């Protein structure tokens, strides 16, 4: 029997390790000058569930953001787009339990009033407060929970890992775990020794995930002294190779928002896009976002597996991305993975339907590092061995199109009975 070697898969670059960054404690509060809180304000029926998060800088700081491309965007997206246009912000307030989407003028008014209330409590301008919501679409968001919840959140603000975790928990909807990250490293200086900086944050997202900008809701913070232009450029680059490479169910939310606060509290030289520290900070931000993106996919609604789809040998990165998304979004591929079935024919069919030109006679496919298709034809495999391999928490699907030198990687999850149950019962 002819033996085939596994495909040489391009490694997922660990940007944080490459630039000397390492994990640290603190979540979003690892950045100097940032405090957080999560409280129960009454947006949810369960009084024991946290549902209002607040992340606040000690003073107005550099801010950047990306938002959903969904034309049916929510009221808080419209308000935050306008507020962040100045390039500065003091705080982000987020609620779960209600998306404040498809709520018309009343929804816009509640979003604006919530920003005004936070501003009054913190002593800043309303334009320096960004807002975000997640939950059910088409239901008016009551303002009353903000009236009691915001003052409580301001009183609870702290720069501790526990406070950061409470904020991360307060934005969860169908998420089963809070998703946080925090790393630290040294930013080089043009003159003198480097400065120790931090990047941290949290994200929520489990369903209605194919971001096309960022993800459901994300708040990131760094104490690096970035300029606004550098912060926006670094965030967009990080989002494009992380949150924009995640799909759970191919649906883009109405509320997707990703915020970055850069306090500059670490000190040192201002970092613009030409400063030698910029690629270091941008790399750390990418690494943080990739880690959070993987956590979203691993926690996809009802999922049992994180699935990494890598497509290489494409004529362009766009072609590779299109094929990878077609595979990652295929219900047949996702259910096969749930069933521990190395059914590579479903992968081939998904790749072939998406409009990207390639020669099937050049296509190779691996499951979990095991060759299952070479030159478009089946490779004999040990089914018992494959069943054992499928017990791993992460399943890799690798495809080489044999058409060029470009590649792309997308993260998704399997499709289970529980996904149908969760979404069938979402409002009831």
């Amino acid at each position: 029997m002819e033996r085939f070697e596994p495909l040489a898969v391009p490694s997922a670059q660990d940007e944080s390790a490459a630039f000397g960054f390492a994990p640290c404690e603190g979540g979003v509060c690892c950045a100097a000058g940032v405090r957080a809180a999560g409280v129960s304000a009454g947006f949810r029926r369960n009084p024991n569930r946290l549902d209002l998060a607040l992340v606040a800088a000690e003073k107005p700081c550099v801010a950047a953001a990306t938002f959903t491309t969904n034309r049916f965007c929510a009221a808080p997206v419209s308000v935050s787009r306008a507020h962040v246009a100045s390039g500065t912000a003091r705080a982000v307030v987020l609620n779960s339990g209600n998306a404040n989407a498809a709520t018309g003028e009343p929804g816009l008014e509640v979003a604006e009033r919530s920003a005004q209330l936070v501003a009054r409590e913190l002593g800043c301008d309303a334009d320096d407060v960004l807002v975000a919501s997640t939950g059910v679409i088409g239901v008016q968001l009551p303002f009353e929970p903000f009236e009691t919840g915001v003052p409580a959140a301001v009183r609870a603000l702290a720069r501790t890992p526990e406070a950061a975790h409470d904020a991360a928990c307060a934005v969860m909807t169908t998420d089963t775990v809070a998703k946080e990250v925090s790393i630290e490293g040294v930013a080089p200086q043009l003159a003198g020794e480097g400065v120790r900086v931090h990047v941290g944050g949290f994200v929520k997202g489990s369903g209605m995930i194919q971001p096309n900008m960022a993800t459901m809701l994300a708040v990131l913070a760094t104490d690096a002294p970035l300029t606004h232009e550098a912060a926006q450029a670094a965030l967009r680059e990080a989002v494009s190779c992380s949150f924009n490479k995640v799909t759970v169910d191919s649906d883009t939310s109405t509320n997707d928002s990703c915020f970055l606060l850069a306090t500059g509290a670490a000190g040192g030289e201002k970092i613009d896009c030409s400063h030698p520290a910029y690629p270091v900070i941008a790399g750390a931000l990418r690494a943080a976002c990739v880690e959070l993106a993987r956590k979203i996919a691993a926690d996809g609604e009802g999922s049992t597996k994180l699935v990494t789809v890598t497509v290489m040998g494409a004529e362009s990165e766009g072609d590779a991305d299109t094929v990878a998304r077609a595979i990652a979004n295929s219900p047949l591929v996702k259910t096969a993975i749930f069933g521990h079935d190395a059914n590579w024919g479903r992968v081939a069919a998904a790749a072939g339907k998406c409009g990207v030109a390639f020669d099937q006679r050049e296509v190779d496919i691996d499951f979990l590092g095991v060759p299952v298709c070479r030159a478009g034809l089946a490779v004999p495999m040990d089914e018992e061995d494959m069943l054992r391999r499928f017990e791993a928490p992460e399943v890799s699907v690798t495809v080489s199109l044999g058409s060029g030198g470009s590649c792309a990687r997308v993260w998704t999850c399997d499709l289970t009975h529980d996904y149908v149950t969760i979404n069938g019962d979402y409002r009831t």
Side-chain angles (χ1 to χ4, degrees):
M1 180 186 302
E2 185 176 0
R3 296 181 62 87
F4 295 91
E5 293 298 320
L7 294 168
V9 184
S11 62
Q13 187 177 11
D14 187 343
E15 297 278 2
S16 60
F19 289 109
F21 276 69
C24 64
E25 291 188 345
V28 72
C29 291
C30 75
V34 172
R35 297 179 296 160
V39 300
S40 177
F43 292 104
R44 292 183 171 277
R45 296 173 185 173
N46 183 352
N48 297 317
R49 184 162 179 181
L50 304 178
D51 56 14
L52 179 71
L54 180 63
V55 178
E58 293 177 354
K59 57 185 179 181
C61 63
V62 168
T66 60
F67 298 99
T68 183
T69 59
N70 193 315
R71 293 186 179 275
F72 220 106
C73 69
V77 172
S78 298
V79 170
S80 290
R81 273 192 179 124
H83 286 195
V84 81
S86 67
T88 63
R90 173 80 188 277
V92 184
V93 61
L94 315 92
N95 74 273
S96 59
N98 187 311
N100 195 11
T103 50
E105 288 299 323
L108 288 169
E109 182 181 352
V110 168
E112 289 282 12
R113 288 178 65 195
S114 66
Q116 293 164 6
L117 178 56
V118 172
R120 187 184 72 196
E121 293 291 323
L122 291 177
C124 66
D125 293 336
D127 286 351
D128 282 331
V129 178
L130 309 176
V131 295
S133 301
T134 182
V136 176
I137 296 169
V139 177
Q140 292 294 336
L141 177 64
F143 184 70
E144 291 74 19
F146 287 109
E147 293 181 301
T148 55
V150 167
V154 171
R155 290 193 297 271
L157 281 172
R159 191 187 172 214
T160 64
E162 294 76 18
H165 183 68
D166 284 347
C169 289
V171 294
M172 291 167 57
T173 50
T174 56
D175 307 64
T176 64
V177 294
K179 304 171 181 69
E180 301 178 79
V181 66
S182 45
I183 55 178
E184 62 179 354
V186 175
Q189 303 289 286
L190 289 169
E193 295 183 358
V195 174
R196 181 159 295 276
V197 297
H198 303 78
V199 176
F202 61 83
V203 68
K204 69 82 51 187
S206 190
M208 198 179 279
I209 297 290
Q210 180 167 282
N212 225 6
M213 67 95 240
T215 185
M216 288 290 291
L217 298 179
V219 180
L220 301 157
T222 181
D223 45 21
L226 296 170
T227 65
H228 171 64
E229 292 74 16
Q232 189 66 54
L235 182 63
R236 287 196 180 280
E237 184 180 358
V239 162
S240 69
C241 65
S242 60
F243 298 138
N244 274 358
K245 300 298 184 182
V246 178
T247 178
V248 169
D249 44 24
S250 79
D251 280 321
T252 297
S253 167
T254 55
N255 290 59
D256 296 340
S257 302
C258 178
F259 304 108
L260 172 63
L261 301 179
T263 67
E269 300 158 354
K270 276 289 183 183
I271 300 172
D272 59 21
C273 293
S274 64
H275 193 282
Y278 175 77
V280 175
I281 305 302
L285 187 62
R286 282 196 299 273
C289 290
V290 165
E291 182 172 339
L292 291 174
R294 286 171 53 84
K295 289 181 177 182
I296 293 171
D299 192 36
E301 288 175 341
S303 68
T304 66
K305 305 289 181 190
L306 168 63
V307 182
T308 300
V309 179
T310 304
V311 174
M312 52 193 189
E315 287 190 357
S316 67
E317 185 177 337
D319 282 355
D321 184 75
T322 297
V323 174
R325 288 181 188 275
I327 295 167
N329 283 324
S330 166
L332 293 179
V333 172
K334 290 157 73 76
T335 50
I337 291 171
F338 172 60
H340 295 190
D341 181 9
N343 189 342
W344 66 267
R346 293 183 175 181
V347 173
K353 75 177 183 181
C354 66
V356 172
F358 59 83
D359 185 343
Q360 64 176 296
R361 295 169 297 182
E362 301 294 330
V363 173
D364 298 336
I365 302 173
D366 286 4
F367 270 99
L368 292 150
V370 176
V372 293
C373 168
R374 286 294 181 269
L377 300 175
V379 171
M381 71 176 114
D382 184 335
E383 296 283 0
E384 293 300 321
D385 175 62
M386 290 303 295
L387 284 173
R388 287 191 295 270
R389 289 174 181 265
F390 267 100
E391 294 298 325
E394 181 174 355
V395 173
S396 62
V397 178
T398 308
V399 178
S400 176
L401 300 179
S403 301
S406 297
C407 64
R409 180 174 281 110
V410 170
W411 293 282
T412 187
C413 59
D414 55 349
L415 179 58
T416 71
H417 306 290
D418 286 344
Y419 179 87
V420 178
T421 299
I422 290 168
N423 284 284
D425 296 341
Y426 186 68
R427 292 202 313 143
T428 57

Short mmCIF file of all heavy atoms in Angstrom, two decimals, residues 74-122:
data_model
loop_
_atom_site.label_atom_id
_atom_site.label_comp_id
_atom_site.label_asym_id
_atom_site.label_seq_id
_atom_site.Cartn_x
_atom_site.Cartn_y
_atom_site.Cartn_z
N ALA A 74 -27.87 47.58 14.89
CA ALA A 74 -28.57 47.96 16.11
C ALA A 74 -28.31 49.41 16.49
O ALA A 74 -27.33 50.03 16.07
CB ALA A 74 -28.13 47.03 17.25
N ALA A 75 -29.17 49.94 17.37
CA ALA A 75 -29.05 51.32 17.83
C ALA A 75 -27.70 51.61 18.48
O ALA A 75 -27.08 52.65 18.19
CB ALA A 75 -30.19 51.65 18.79
N PRO A 76 -27.20 50.74 19.37
CA PRO A 76 -25.90 51.05 19.98
C PRO A 76 -24.75 51.12 18.98
O PRO A 76 -23.78 51.86 19.20
CB PRO A 76 -25.69 49.91 20.99
CG PRO A 76 -26.62 48.84 20.56
CD PRO A 76 -27.78 49.54 19.95
N VAL A 77 -24.85 50.39 17.88
CA VAL A 77 -23.82 50.47 16.84
C VAL A 77 -23.82 51.87 16.23
O VAL A 77 -22.76 52.49 16.05
CB VAL A 77 -24.05 49.40 15.76
CG1 VAL A 77 -23.11 49.61 14.58
CG2 VAL A 77 -23.85 48.00 16.34
N SER A 78 -25.00 52.37 15.91
CA SER A 78 -25.09 53.72 15.33
C SER A 78 -24.55 54.78 16.29
O SER A 78 -23.81 55.69 15.88
CB SER A 78 -26.55 54.04 14.98
OG SER A 78 -27.05 53.14 14.00
N VAL A 79 -24.89 54.65 17.56
CA VAL A 79 -24.45 55.64 18.55
C VAL A 79 -22.93 55.56 18.74
O VAL A 79 -22.23 56.58 18.76
CB VAL A 79 -25.18 55.42 19.88
CG1 VAL A 79 -24.55 56.26 20.99
CG2 VAL A 79 -26.66 55.76 19.73
N SER A 80 -22.40 54.35 18.87
CA SER A 80 -20.96 54.21 19.11
C SER A 80 -20.14 54.63 17.90
O SER A 80 -19.04 55.18 18.05
CB SER A 80 -20.63 52.76 19.50
OG SER A 80 -21.13 52.46 20.78
N ARG A 81 -20.64 54.36 16.69
CA ARG A 81 -19.95 54.83 15.49
C ARG A 81 -19.75 56.35 15.55
O ARG A 81 -18.68 56.87 15.22
CB ARG A 81 -20.76 54.48 14.24
CG ARG A 81 -20.47 53.10 13.67
CD ARG A 81 -21.09 52.98 12.29
NE ARG A 81 -20.83 51.68 11.71
CZ ARG A 81 -21.76 50.84 11.26
NH1 ARG A 81 -23.03 51.18 11.35
NH2 ARG A 81 -21.43 49.69 10.73
N ALA A 82 -20.79 57.05 15.97
CA ALA A 82 -20.71 58.50 16.02
C ALA A 82 -19.77 58.95 17.14
O ALA A 82 -18.97 59.88 16.96
CB ALA A 82 -22.10 59.09 16.24
N HIS A 83 -19.84 58.29 18.30
CA HIS A 83 -19.05 58.72 19.44
C HIS A 83 -17.55 58.46 19.24
O HIS A 83 -16.72 59.26 19.67
CB HIS A 83 -19.53 58.01 20.71
CG HIS A 83 -20.83 58.52 21.23
ND1 HIS A 83 -21.30 58.25 22.50
CD2 HIS A 83 -21.78 59.31 20.65
CE1 HIS A 83 -22.47 58.85 22.67
NE2 HIS A 83 -22.78 59.49 21.57
N VAL A 84 -17.21 57.33 18.61
CA VAL A 84 -15.79 56.98 18.49
C VAL A 84 -15.11 57.73 17.35
O VAL A 84 -13.89 57.68 17.21
CB VAL A 84 -15.64 55.45 18.28
CG1 VAL A 84 -15.88 55.05 16.83
CG2 VAL A 84 -14.28 54.95 18.77
N ALA A 85 -15.89 58.46 16.58
CA ALA A 85 -15.31 59.19 15.44
C ALA A 85 -14.29 60.22 15.89
O ALA A 85 -13.38 60.58 15.13
CB ALA A 85 -16.43 59.87 14.65
N SER A 86 -14.40 60.67 17.14
CA SER A 86 -13.44 61.65 17.65
C SER A 86 -12.07 61.04 17.91
O SER A 86 -11.07 61.76 18.05
CB SER A 86 -13.96 62.25 18.96
OG SER A 86 -14.00 61.26 19.98
N GLY A 87 -12.01 59.70 18.01
CA GLY A 87 -10.75 59.03 18.27
C GLY A 87 -10.40 58.90 19.73
O GLY A 87 -9.32 58.40 20.07
N THR A 88 -11.31 59.33 20.62
CA THR A 88 -11.09 59.19 22.05
C THR A 88 -12.32 58.60 22.72
O THR A 88 -13.43 58.69 22.19
CB THR A 88 -10.76 60.53 22.73
OG1 THR A 88 -11.90 61.40 22.60
CG2 THR A 88 -9.54 61.19 22.11
N ALA A 89 -12.11 58.00 23.90
CA ALA A 89 -13.22 57.48 24.69
C ALA A 89 -12.76 57.35 26.13
O ALA A 89 -11.56 57.25 26.42
CB ALA A 89 -13.72 56.15 24.16
N ARG A 90 -13.71 57.31 27.04
CA ARG A 90 -13.42 57.12 28.46
C ARG A 90 -13.94 55.76 28.95
O ARG A 90 -13.34 55.16 29.85
CB ARG A 90 -14.08 58.24 29.28
CG ARG A 90 -14.00 58.08 30.79
CD ARG A 90 -12.68 58.49 31.36
NE ARG A 90 -12.56 58.15 32.78
CZ ARG A 90 -13.05 58.88 33.78
NH1 ARG A 90 -13.68 60.03 33.53
NH2 ARG A 90 -12.87 58.50 35.04
N ALA A 91 -15.06 55.29 28.35
CA ALA A 91 -15.68 54.08 28.88
C ALA A 91 -16.48 53.36 27.81
O ALA A 91 -16.88 53.94 26.80
CB ALA A 91 -16.58 54.44 30.06
N VAL A 92 -16.73 52.08 28.09
CA VAL A 92 -17.63 51.25 27.27
C VAL A 92 -18.63 50.62 28.23
O VAL A 92 -18.24 50.00 29.22
CB VAL A 92 -16.88 50.14 26.51
CG1 VAL A 92 -17.86 49.39 25.60
CG2 VAL A 92 -15.72 50.70 25.72
N VAL A 93 -19.93 50.78 27.96
CA VAL A 93 -20.97 50.14 28.75
C VAL A 93 -21.70 49.15 27.86
O VAL A 93 -22.05 49.46 26.72
CB VAL A 93 -21.94 51.18 29.36
CG1 VAL A 93 -22.67 51.99 28.29
CG2 VAL A 93 -22.93 50.50 30.30
N LEU A 94 -21.89 47.95 28.37
CA LEU A 94 -22.48 46.86 27.58
C LEU A 94 -23.55 46.16 28.40
O LEU A 94 -23.37 45.91 29.60
CB LEU A 94 -21.41 45.84 27.17
CG LEU A 94 -20.08 46.33 26.62
CD1 LEU A 94 -19.06 46.49 27.77
CD2 LEU A 94 -19.52 45.38 25.59
N ASN A 95 -24.67 45.83 27.74
CA ASN A 95 -25.69 45.03 28.42
C ASN A 95 -25.98 43.77 27.64
O ASN A 95 -25.82 43.73 26.41
CB ASN A 95 -26.98 45.83 28.60
CG ASN A 95 -27.76 45.98 27.31
OD1 ASN A 95 -27.50 46.92 26.55
ND2 ASN A 95 -28.70 45.08 27.04
N SER A 96 -26.39 42.73 28.32
CA SER A 96 -26.86 41.50 27.68
C SER A 96 -28.34 41.34 27.98
O SER A 96 -28.90 42.04 28.83
CB SER A 96 -26.07 40.29 28.19
OG SER A 96 -26.20 40.15 29.59
N GLY A 97 -28.98 40.43 27.26
CA GLY A 97 -30.40 40.17 27.47
C GLY A 97 -31.31 40.87 26.49
O GLY A 97 -32.47 40.49 26.33
N ASN A 98 -30.81 41.91 25.82
CA ASN A 98 -31.61 42.67 24.87
C ASN A 98 -30.66 43.36 23.91
O ASN A 98 -29.76 44.10 24.34
CB ASN A 98 -32.50 43.69 25.59
CG ASN A 98 -33.47 44.40 24.66
OD1 ASN A 98 -33.09 44.90 23.61
ND2 ASN A 98 -34.74 44.45 25.06
N ALA A 99 -30.86 43.14 22.59
CA ALA A 99 -29.93 43.66 21.58
C ALA A 99 -30.17 45.11 21.23
O ALA A 99 -29.31 45.74 20.61
CB ALA A 99 -30.03 42.82 20.31
N ASN A 100 -31.32 45.67 21.62
CA ASN A 100 -31.67 47.03 21.20
C ASN A 100 -31.48 47.19 19.70
O ASN A 100 -30.93 48.18 19.22
CB ASN A 100 -30.86 48.07 21.97
CG ASN A 100 -31.44 49.47 21.84
OD1 ASN A 100 -32.55 49.65 21.35
ND2 ASN A 100 -30.69 50.48 22.29
N ALA A 101 -31.95 46.19 18.95
CA ALA A 101 -31.88 46.20 17.48
C ALA A 101 -33.29 46.17 16.93
O ALA A 101 -34.18 45.52 17.49
CB ALA A 101 -31.09 44.99 16.98
N ALA A 102 -33.50 46.88 15.81
CA ALA A 102 -34.84 47.00 15.22
C ALA A 102 -35.79 47.64 16.22
O ALA A 102 -36.92 47.20 16.40
CB ALA A 102 -35.37 45.65 14.76
N THR A 103 -35.32 48.71 16.88
CA THR A 103 -36.10 49.39 17.91
C THR A 103 -36.36 50.86 17.57
O THR A 103 -36.91 51.59 18.40
CB THR A 103 -35.38 49.29 19.27
OG1 THR A 103 -34.02 49.69 19.11
CG2 THR A 103 -35.44 47.87 19.81
N GLY A 104 -35.94 51.30 16.39
CA GLY A 104 -36.27 52.64 15.92
C GLY A 104 -35.72 53.76 16.78
O GLY A 104 -34.70 53.62 17.46
N GLU A 105 -36.39 54.90 16.76
CA GLU A 105 -35.97 56.07 17.51
C GLU A 105 -35.93 55.83 19.01
O GLU A 105 -35.01 56.32 19.70
CB GLU A 105 -36.88 57.26 17.19
CG GLU A 105 -36.66 57.84 15.79
CD GLU A 105 -35.24 58.35 15.60
OE1 GLU A 105 -34.68 58.92 16.57
OE2 GLU A 105 -34.70 58.20 14.49
N PRO A 106 -36.91 55.09 19.58
CA PRO A 106 -36.82 54.81 21.03
C PRO A 106 -35.54 54.08 21.40
O PRO A 106 -34.94 54.36 22.44
CB PRO A 106 -38.06 53.95 21.31
CG PRO A 106 -39.03 54.34 20.25
CD PRO A 106 -38.20 54.59 19.03
N GLY A 107 -35.09 53.17 20.55
CA GLY A 107 -33.85 52.45 20.82
C GLY A 107 -32.64 53.36 20.78
O GLY A 107 -31.74 53.25 21.62
N LEU A 108 -32.59 54.27 19.81
CA LEU A 108 -31.50 55.24 19.73
C LEU A 108 -31.48 56.14 20.96
O LEU A 108 -30.42 56.45 21.50
CB LEU A 108 -31.63 56.08 18.47
CG LEU A 108 -31.33 55.38 17.14
CD1 LEU A 108 -31.78 56.25 15.97
CD2 LEU A 108 -29.84 55.05 17.03
N GLU A 109 -32.68 56.52 21.42
CA GLU A 109 -32.77 57.39 22.59
C GLU A 109 -32.23 56.68 23.84
O GLU A 109 -31.49 57.28 24.63
CB GLU A 109 -34.21 57.82 22.82
CG GLU A 109 -34.37 58.75 24.01
CD GLU A 109 -35.82 59.16 24.25
OE1 GLU A 109 -36.68 58.84 23.41
OE2 GLU A 109 -36.09 59.79 25.29
N VAL A 110 -32.57 55.40 24.01
CA VAL A 110 -32.08 54.65 25.17
C VAL A 110 -30.55 54.52 25.11
O VAL A 110 -29.87 54.67 26.13
CB VAL A 110 -32.74 53.27 25.25
CG1 VAL A 110 -32.04 52.38 26.27
CG2 VAL A 110 -34.21 53.40 25.62
N ALA A 111 -30.02 54.24 23.92
CA ALA A 111 -28.57 54.11 23.77
C ALA A 111 -27.87 55.42 24.13
O ALA A 111 -26.86 55.43 24.84
CB ALA A 111 -28.22 53.68 22.35
N GLU A 112 -28.40 56.55 23.65
CA GLU A 112 -27.81 57.85 23.95
C GLU A 112 -27.94 58.17 25.45
O GLU A 112 -26.99 58.66 26.08
CB GLU A 112 -28.49 58.94 23.14
CG GLU A 112 -28.15 58.92 21.65
CD GLU A 112 -26.77 59.52 21.36
OE1 GLU A 112 -25.99 59.74 22.31
OE2 GLU A 112 -26.49 59.75 20.18
N ARG A 113 -29.11 57.87 26.02
CA ARG A 113 -29.32 58.18 27.43
C ARG A 113 -28.40 57.34 28.32
O ARG A 113 -27.93 57.80 29.36
CB ARG A 113 -30.78 57.96 27.82
CG ARG A 113 -31.74 59.00 27.26
CD ARG A 113 -33.17 58.66 27.65
NE ARG A 113 -33.37 58.75 29.10
CZ ARG A 113 -34.43 58.24 29.73
NH1 ARG A 113 -35.36 57.59 29.03
NH2 ARG A 113 -34.55 58.37 31.03
N SER A 114 -28.17 56.10 27.92
CA SER A 114 -27.27 55.25 28.73
C SER A 114 -25.85 55.82 28.71
O SER A 114 -25.16 55.80 29.74
CB SER A 114 -27.30 53.81 28.22
OG SER A 114 -26.75 53.71 26.91
N ALA A 115 -25.42 56.34 27.56
CA ALA A 115 -24.10 56.97 27.48
C ALA A 115 -24.06 58.22 28.35
O ALA A 115 -23.06 58.48 29.05
CB ALA A 115 -23.77 57.33 26.03
N GLN A 116 -25.12 58.99 28.33
CA GLN A 116 -25.19 60.20 29.15
C GLN A 116 -25.14 59.87 30.64
O GLN A 116 -24.48 60.57 31.43
CB GLN A 116 -26.46 60.99 28.82
CG GLN A 116 -26.46 61.57 27.42
CD GLN A 116 -27.85 62.01 26.97
OE1 GLN A 116 -28.81 61.98 27.75
NE2 GLN A 116 -27.97 62.42 25.71
N LEU A 117 -25.80 58.79 31.03
CA LEU A 117 -25.82 58.39 32.43
C LEU A 117 -24.42 57.97 32.89
O LEU A 117 -23.96 58.37 33.97
CB LEU A 117 -26.81 57.25 32.63
CG LEU A 117 -26.93 56.67 34.03
CD1 LEU A 117 -27.26 57.76 35.05
CD2 LEU A 117 -28.00 55.57 34.07
N VAL A 118 -23.74 57.17 32.07
CA VAL A 118 -22.37 56.78 32.41
C VAL A 118 -21.47 58.00 32.50
O VAL A 118 -20.65 58.13 33.42
CB VAL A 118 -21.82 55.77 31.37
CG1 VAL A 118 -20.33 55.51 31.61
CG2 VAL A 118 -22.60 54.46 31.42
N ALA A 119 -21.63 58.92 31.55
CA ALA A 119 -20.82 60.14 31.55
C ALA A 119 -21.03 60.95 32.82
O ALA A 119 -20.07 61.48 33.41
CB ALA A 119 -21.15 60.97 30.32
N ARG A 120 -22.28 61.06 33.25
CA ARG A 120 -22.58 61.80 34.48
C ARG A 120 -21.91 61.16 35.69
O ARG A 120 -21.34 61.85 36.54
CB ARG A 120 -24.09 61.87 34.68
CG ARG A 120 -24.52 62.76 35.85
CD ARG A 120 -26.01 62.69 36.04
NE ARG A 120 -26.41 61.39 36.59
CZ ARG A 120 -27.66 60.92 36.59
NH1 ARG A 120 -28.63 61.63 36.01
NH2 ARG A 120 -27.93 59.75 37.13
N GLU A 121 -21.95 59.83 35.75
CA GLU A 121 -21.37 59.12 36.88
C GLU A 121 -19.84 59.20 36.89
O GLU A 121 -19.22 59.22 37.96
CB GLU A 121 -21.81 57.66 36.87
CG GLU A 121 -23.30 57.44 37.13
CD GLU A 121 -23.69 57.77 38.56
OE1 GLU A 121 -22.88 57.49 39.48
OE2 GLU A 121 -24.78 58.34 38.77
N LEU A 122 -19.24 59.23 35.72
CA LEU A 122 -17.77 59.26 35.62
C LEU A 122 -17.21 60.67 35.53
O LEU A 122 -16.00 60.86 35.67
CB LEU A 122 -17.31 58.45 34.41
CG LEU A 122 -17.51 56.93 34.46
CD1 LEU A 122 -17.05 56.30 33.15
CD2 LEU A 122 -16.76 56.32 35.63
#
